[in-house]
Amino acid sequence: MTTPIDKPVAIVTGAGRGLGREHALALAHAGWAVLVNDLGGAGDGTGSDPTAAEQVVAEIVAMGGSALVDGSDVSNWAAAGEMIERAVSAWGRLDGLVNNAGILRDRTIANMTEEDWDLSIAVNLKGTAAPLHHAASYWRRRSKETGEPVKASVVNTSSASGLYSAFGQSNYAAAKAGVASLTLVAARELARSGVRVNAIAPVATTRLTESVMPEASRARWDPSLVSPMVVYLLSDAAGDISGRVFEVGGDGVVAVDMHRPIAGMRAADGKWTAKRLEPVVPGLVDQLAPQMDSASASQFLRGAPLEGE
Ligand SMILES: NC(=O)c1ccc[n+]([C@@H]2O[C@H](COP(=O)([O-])OP(=O)(O)OC[C@H]3O[C@@H](n4cnc5c(N)ncnc54)[C@H](O)[C@@H]3O)[C@@H](O)[C@H]2O)c1
């Protein structure tokens, strides 16, 4: 067995460019050894090229850090397992996993092809579940061996599109909503083993968003501004924070409360009929007025004050 390296070890998926690259560099700056995973394809998931990930590894090594390249396709269950194994056999430990790899195949549901649907779900959702599964089994094994909870942390990448819905992104939004739900379930399942699981919904100028970001505001959404939250959530300083979803971008961080029941009503004689529901359901829906709706969350990230601020 490899003698464990004297620093925490993280895997960042999709770390060849964009947000993942910044997360990998920020973690290396914070003293982590980083497995830099990237398939290196285009923004729609086609093709592959190891160059970008190799460059990130070279940058980390040049600044005196520890990094290794990994070209696994995270949507391949077995390859994701080999990626986890690569980090553990190289450095003897694994402390953090940042599931960041993602692609876009934007289509309305009416125009969706089966390939667009399958690839988006494969990379964005299965590509989060597969590394998480293999890391979780590794950590559970470790925890059983030592008789103590491990101290490990996972950050998954959701999206405002999945949390609040976005026109034309039915496949992507479904996958990213799935990532948020997976985060909550995994946080509950892995708590006993000492693993925290959170998700971020980032806002950043990258090749995926450049075309919709006005030129003047691109610097404000530099992807490096998201990475401190990832470093924080991976670190022990995050205490017991787990099962949470945060929107992060520019100078803003927003805590998102998901899937919380807001309003309910019981049938007067123990049974609803469709007719009796008619006057009731609109009233329930009216009570759903959230504390901070998706529009105000996005406006807050873009600089508007919160109500009462
Ligand atoms: N940029 C934003 O504003 C924004 C908003 C919401 C969510 N996101 C999410 O943030 C994450 C990073 O996106 P980004 O904007 O930096 O885009 P990006 O295209 O710059 O980076 C994504 C990286 O993932 C890699 N990748 C894609 N498929 C892969 C696979 N199967 N296996 C391994 N690597 C793979 C790509 O090669 C690429 O380097 C994605 O999950 C994206 O959905 C981004």
Side-chain angles (χ1 to χ4, degrees), residues 13-21 23 37-49 52-53 70-76 83 99-104 119 122-124 127-128 156-161 172 176 200-210 213 221 223 226 248:
T13 71
R17 61 169 66 75
L19 284 154
R21 173 179 182 276
H23 301 339
N37 159 270
D38 207 295
L39 185 60
D44 67 358
T46 51
S48 65
D49 177 3
D70 176 273
S72 306
D73 173 352
V74 290
S75 69
N76 179 312
M83 173 180 75
N99 280 313
N100 164 81
I103 59 159
L104 282 181
L119 200 57
V123 177
N124 294 305
T128 301
N156 293 328
T157 306
S158 184
S159 165
S161 174
Y172 180 75
K176 292 299 192 179
I200 59 164
V203 181
T205 310
T206 68
R207 68 175 180 177
L208 294 187
T209 54
E210 239 168 15
M213 286 267 184
W221 306 108
V226 175
V248 190

